[in-house]
Structures are given as structure tokens and as C-alpha cells.
Amino acid sequence: MPRPTKHPTTSTYYLRVRTPSDLREKAKGRTITLSIGPQKAKVRIGDAVKVSLQTKDWSEAKERFRIAEADLEKIWEGLRHGPLKLTNKQVYSFAGRFYRLFAETLEDDPGSTALWQRVKEANAFAAKGGILGTFGIGEEARARGVAKEMEKRFGPFLDHVLGEEGLEVDQDSRWRLLQAFKDAADRSADKLERNAGGDYSEDTNAARYPRWTSPVAQKDEPTSYVSIGQLFRLWQKQHEALGGAKSSVRRWQPVIDQFIAFLGHDNADKVTRADVVRWRQELIDSGKISPNTFKKTNRAALSSIFAVGVDNLLVPFNPVDGVKAPSQKRVLERPQGFTKEEAETILRAATAAETDPRHMADHTRFARRWLPWLCAYSGARMGEMAQLRKHDVYVKDGIHCIRITPEAGTVKDKEVRVVPLHPHIVEQGFVKAVSSKPAGPLFYPKKTKDEEPWGVTRDNLAKWIRKGVGVTDKRIKPNHAWRHRFKTVADAAGIEMKYQNRITGHAAANIGDYYGDNEEETLFREVAKLPRYPDAMEAPSGNATIKTDVENETA
């Protein structure tokens, strides 16, 4: 099996793989892109592919070699399939990768608004055929000028993305891709221009681009053995049929791909317990992941898909059985919940968001205004609150409540629960504000292509708390910290643990706590025990320095 080679002088490890004989004539001279650690490297194909792995550490070199070699195998397969004709959906999903390359990578420091205005002008200049396009020349000459300028401006980016996938496309597909890239470049420039001006409202453009699925992967012939990929797809099918979270699929797919790259093959029958142990040790010893991450993510993903294989008589045993991760005590340098001052800072900014003069989508403003307050007085998961719909807010016997239900999206325990609203939220006008909204979701667009749009709202709110509000301590999670804060306040208010768990959706401490319904009156009695946070115009508690939203949120 190919392995990293050490440079005799520098001791740096290299990947060197001979170009397959059936592709040598076709591939020689092409420039491809390979993953080398956290970077992307451009490599020119010759009789062999040679590239530095950028490390002198043997364990890290082996891991980087496997990942780069997996990229290379994908490229060989793409070349073997020859020039592909892409569908319209594939063209725009590919353009979506180009859009995110700019829109997401540069949003933290986008530069000036003038910069992105110039980018759009340059895009338009290329689309008109450059200088030739400004003169009254013949249509045929103009078309040649447009093709030349579009290739000059967007061709390098297209080749970069094609190189990552190892794809070769026909001329018609390439021209349609260049046009789609121009459109994506304009949209990303619009988005970054807004960011440069201080507008970080939700990006609706990203949702227009479908998820990319490699056409080469769709043409793969079935293997003569049970592959690890087949086990993953079987697990995914069962997981989704049982209502499992789609986020688990997105989180586990890269883990399984990484394991396949580590092995150098995809044959599930050949996987041994020793393979899993070696994988564990390389990941942990290299510092790529912690023992806890291996246990909760890597081991869990691999064990689950092999368990499905055993259950369906596809593989004889689960090679993950008995493989453990070293115990690791988590180091906590501070409490995991917000301090009183941090909580009040966020809630003041939330109240101010209602009258923030900057432009933002209505659902974004509504989310900033109310989601922090709802979580502060309920300890609910931010995603659970972000998926609320208008009819999930109701009144019974004079008590205003919200209903958190799997019907609306994702609920961890898959059980509906009722959370009475704290009187302070009602007094601030939340119920009245909800009544003025149209039917449907409260905190994300009614029409969206996102599979879990409440997750987008949740994540955007976390970014706002970091960048806009200024609660930047990386030792806490800007959404989940409300759950810890709620428990702290509830303990001090004398709320029994069984009622705390019913409100927050935590598992009951014992079987007896499961008895009894979550009656609105009983739970309202407990929620009302929570002390009120200061309103926007009240003085902050303690010596907290509270900055306004406008002072904190910068481009």
C-alpha cells in the first residue's frame, strides 16, 4: 500500500503516487486540488503526483496522506468518466459552492462597501465582453469577447472547484457554469456589501443553491462486498424513517468518510477491532480530537452504522464493541451558564433590537427581540424556541403558554411539552406581537429551502450575541448557556428539580417524576417564582458595563 515518503534533507513527508497508466496521457499536465491538512494544495499531474504533506510528524503524515489519496482516487474516477454534461440543478449547486467560498469566508472582515461595488462592476464588464463589448461590433465578435472575458474572470475559480471534485465537464456545461458563477459572484458581492455596511441580517441567498451531489458518485457500480458507505446509507434511511435529526447525518457523514480514508478501503467485512483502535490512537495522539469527542462522535457514528449492519445480517460482528476512549475530566475555568451581568447585557440588546434603525429581515428582528427572553425564562434549547409557530403560542384558563412539539421541528426527547410564559414576557408584549403575525413560523421565513430553517436562525442568533452584543467569552456557548443560567436561577428561586426538568425538557431524575401531566397551572406556579430580569431602561445589576447593540456590532 502507498505510504508517505520522507525527504532525505528536510525530513518533511511527501505524497508520491504514480498516475494510473490508463489515465497518464489524458491526465498529464492537468492541475488538481488536494486536501493537505487544513489547506488546499494545487498539484500538476505528471507521470506521478507529488506534493509535500507539510509535516515532519509520522502520525500526522499518515493521516494527511490517506485523506489526500482519497481525493486523488476521486479525481482518477472523474477523469475515467470523461467529460460530463451537468444538469441545470448540478450547475447551480456547483455555483453554490463558489458563492459560499466568498460569502461565508469573508463575512467577518468584508472590507469597504466600495470594494464590492467595484467587484460587481468588474463582473458586469466581463459579461459584456470587456472593452470590445462597449463598441458596436458584430454579434459573433461580441460573443467571442464575452466568452474570453468570462473565462478570464471566472475560469480560475471554476477550475479550482472542479479540481476539488476531480471533474471534467463538456463545453456546454462549462459555459453554463461560468454564467452561474457570474450570478453567484454578484449575489455574494451584494451580501458582503451589506456586511461591510453593518447589515448582518440573515443571508437568504444561500438557500437558493441546492446541495451538491457528485455525478461520478451516482455512476459508481455496486461493489461485490458490503461497503462501509452502504452501511451508512442504510443507517441513514432507518434513522430518518424513525424521525431522527438530520443534523446527525450531516455530523456523522464526514466522520465515516474520514474512517474510510484512514483504512484505505471501503470493505466493511475487512474492518477489525484493531483498525478502530489504531484510528482512535492516531486521532487522539495527534491532537486532532479529544477523547470525549472520539467517544461521543467518532465512536458513536461508527458503532451505530455497524450495529445496523449486524442487525440486518450484512456483517458478522460490530468491530467497535469493546473499544473505549480514555476517560477525560473536563476542565471548567468558569461556570457554563451566563453570569447575571452577561444575561442582562444580552436581554437589553434584545429589547433594543426592536427599534434598531438598521435594515434586517422581519423574522431576524423578531428573533433577536424575543428568543433570548424566552430562553432566559424557560431554559429551553434555542432551536426548540426558534421553531415555534404562531399556533404554538396559546392561552388556557388565563395562562399564556407555548407548546414545544416535534411536529414543529426537532425536539431532543421527541416529546411534546408545555412551558407557561413568565408574566414579564407577557407584559413586554410578546403575546400581542405574536397575534399580529401571519400563520406559520415566527422566527424564520415561511418559504425556505433550508431543511432545518430554525437551525439557521439559532446559529445566526449565536453569531449576533458574539459579534453584535459583545458576549465573546469562548468558554461558554452563546445559546446553550441559557439552559445553565436557568438552572442556577431556578435553584435559587426554590423550584423543585422535577419541575425544572419538565420546563427545560431534561430527563427526569427517577421514574416517579414521569408521573403526572405537565399541567399549565402547576408549571405556571413554578415559572412565576423566577425573579424578573431588568427591563431595558432599568439600571444594570452590579458593576456590569453594558454596551448598546449599535456600539458592539461592527462590520
Side-chain angles (χ1 to χ4, degrees):
M1 181 181 293
R3 53 193 288 152
T5 57
K6 183 188 287 189
H7 192 282
T9 303
T10 65
S11 296
T12 299
Y13 285 99
Y14 277 75
L15 173 145
R16 188 181 188 282
V17 176
R18 292 187 65 82
T19 304
S21 57
D22 63 317
L23 294 174
R24 196 162 298 156
E25 183 177 343
K26 183 178 185 179
K28 208 168 179 181
R30 290 176 180 265
T31 299
I32 58 175
T33 304
L34 300 178
S35 301
I36 306 296
Q39 306 296 326
K40 298 288 187 181
K42 288 188 175 297
V43 188
R44 192 176 182 84
I45 301 176
D47 291 329
V49 174
K50 183 180 179 181
V51 61
S52 171
L53 295 171
Q54 302 294 324
T55 182
K56 298 179 181 180
D57 179 81
W58 170 243
S59 296
E60 187 172 6
K62 286 196 297 181
E63 179 66 18
R64 291 187 176 187
F65 183 94
R66 289 187 178 93
I67 294 173
E69 189 183 32
D71 285 350
L72 197 53
E73 285 300 321
K74 185 167 62 173
I75 289 169
W76 298 149
E77 283 304 303
L79 291 174
R80 285 191 177 100
H81 281 86
L84 296 170
K85 185 172 184 62
L86 301 182
T87 65
N88 189 64
K89 183 176 181 180
Q90 288 168 337
V91 165
Y92 280 95
S93 64
F94 222 63
R97 295 180 60 165
F98 175 63
Y99 175 86
R100 287 184 285 274
L101 179 67
F102 286 92
E104 296 177 3
T105 306
L106 301 178
E107 67 177 5
D108 285 355
D109 294 297
S112 67
T113 57
L115 167 66
W116 297 108
Q117 290 168 1
R118 291 195 298 270
V119 167
K120 288 185 286 186
E121 289 171 0
N123 294 345
F125 185 72
K128 290 179 180 178
I131 295 176
L132 290 178
T134 62
F135 300 103
I137 58 177
E139 192 63 31
E140 185 176 341
R142 180 185 175 279
R144 287 198 301 270
V146 170
K148 179 181 177 181
E149 292 297 326
M150 289 284 282
E151 189 68 55
K152 180 180 176 181
R153 181 153 183 82
F154 301 109
F157 297 113
L158 175 56
D159 289 334
H160 171 78
V161 183
L162 286 171
E164 288 186 325
E165 284 294 323
L167 290 182
E168 182 182 12
V169 298
D170 63 17
Q171 281 302 112
D172 176 66
S173 296
R174 185 175 182 86
W175 173 241
R176 289 187 292 130
L177 281 167
L178 289 171
Q179 292 175 305
F181 271 41
K182 190 269 180 186
D183 179 70
D186 286 341
R187 292 180 185 278
S188 62
D190 283 338
K191 188 257 187 190
L192 291 168
E193 184 181 350
R194 292 196 304 272
N195 293 163
D199 180 0
Y200 279 89
S201 55
E202 185 174 347
D203 178 17
T204 57
N205 276 325
R208 68 181 279 110
Y209 296 106
R211 181 178 299 176
W212 169 252
T213 302
S214 172
V216 173
Q218 293 173 355
K219 294 184 178 182
D220 284 346
E221 296 179 0
T223 59
S224 58
Y225 54 82
V226 176
S227 71
I228 300 172
Q230 285 175 280
L231 296 185
F232 178 80
R233 288 188 288 275
L234 179 59
W235 167 82
Q236 179 182 354
K237 184 178 180 180
Q238 294 187 7
H239 176 76
E240 293 178 348
L242 293 172
K246 293 180 180 179
S247 57
S248 297
V249 178
R250 291 196 299 269
R251 188 170 64 251
W252 285 9
Q253 175 77 72
V255 173
I256 301 303
D257 290 344
Q258 183 191 56
F259 182 64
I260 293 170
F262 169 81
L263 291 175
H265 67 80
D266 191 30
N267 191 336
D269 293 323
K270 291 172 62 177
V271 179
T272 66
R273 183 178 174 187
D275 290 328
V276 182
V277 171
R278 285 191 303 108
W279 186 47
R280 177 195 67 189
Q281 290 311 118
E282 286 210 10
L283 289 173
I284 295 176
D285 291 348
S286 65
K288 291 182 174 65
I289 63 173
S290 67
N292 283 342
T293 299
F294 178 83
K295 179 171 63 177
K296 294 179 179 179
T297 304
N298 299 62
R299 184 191 181 282
L302 201 60
S303 180
S304 294
I305 73 163
F306 271 97
V308 170
V310 172
D311 186 56
N312 286 273
L313 305 178
L314 296 175
V315 290
F317 66 95
N318 188 338
V320 188
D321 286 347
V323 178
K324 300 179 180 179
S327 59
Q328 179 188 38
K329 184 172 178 60
R330 186 176 180 184
V331 178
L332 293 177
E333 298 177 346
R334 59 155 288 170
Q336 297 180 70
F338 292 126
T339 63
K340 185 176 183 180
E341 291 75 17
E342 287 169 335
E344 291 178 4
T345 297
I346 296 169
L347 295 177
R348 291 175 192 280
T351 302
E354 191 166 36
T355 54
D356 190 329
R358 287 169 296 177
H359 171 74
M360 67 183 77
D362 288 343
H363 63 272
T364 299
R365 187 183 301 276
F366 204 67
R368 291 182 182 182
R369 171 63 181 93
W370 294 110
L371 285 179
W373 283 98
L374 290 169
C375 289
Y377 282 128
S378 70
R381 299 172 183 89
M382 185 64 74
E384 294 175 338
M385 284 296 180
Q387 67 195 24
L388 287 177
R389 303 156 300 180
K390 181 176 182 177
H391 65 271
D392 293 325
V393 182
Y394 69 100
V395 61
K396 182 180 179 182
D397 298 331
I399 298 173
H400 294 283
C401 304
I402 57 176
R403 182 185 297 104
I404 296 173
T405 169
E407 180 191 30
T410 302
V411 179
K412 190 170 184 178
D413 60 6
K414 297 181 174 56
E415 292 183 4
V416 65
R417 75 178 188 274
V418 167
V419 180
L421 291 173
H422 192 280
H424 192 196
I425 293 181
V426 178
E427 291 170 16
Q428 289 184 61
F430 174 67
V431 174
K432 183 178 180 180
V434 169
S435 67
S436 66
K437 292 286 183 180
L442 295 173
F443 302 112
Y444 62 86
K446 192 171 185 178
K447 293 182 178 180
T448 175
K449 293 182 179 180
D450 287 311
E451 293 181 355
E452 295 183 351
W454 53 87
V456 176
T457 297
R458 174 198 62 209
D459 297 343
N460 285 340
L461 196 74
K463 291 179 183 178
W464 175 67
I465 288 173
R466 291 278 196 224
K467 299 177 182 179
V469 181
V471 178
T472 58
D473 193 330
K474 296 297 179 65
R475 296 171 297 178
I476 55 172
K477 298 179 180 179
N479 284 333
H480 198 70
W482 284 120
R483 286 173 73 73
H484 293 280
R485 174 68 188 166
F486 177 87
K487 289 282 186 173
T488 299
V489 175
D491 283 342
I495 299 177
E496 289 185 52
M497 186 59 65
K498 71 174 183 178
Y499 294 123
Q500 290 187 34
N501 290 337
R502 287 187 181 185
I503 295 166
T504 62
H506 279 114
N510 57 69
I511 192 65
D513 287 349
Y514 282 105
Y515 286 86
D517 295 327
N518 298 348
E519 295 180 352
E520 288 87 346
E521 185 177 352
T522 301
L523 293 182
F524 177 74
R525 178 196 67 204
E526 301 301 314
V527 167
K529 294 178 181 178
L530 295 169
R532 295 180 176 226
Y533 286 97
D535 284 321
M537 302 308 294
E538 296 176 24
S541 300
N543 297 316
T545 300
I546 309 298
K547 292 185 178 181
T548 66
D549 179 23
V550 174
E551 289 173 324
N552 274 300
E553 186 167 348
T554 57

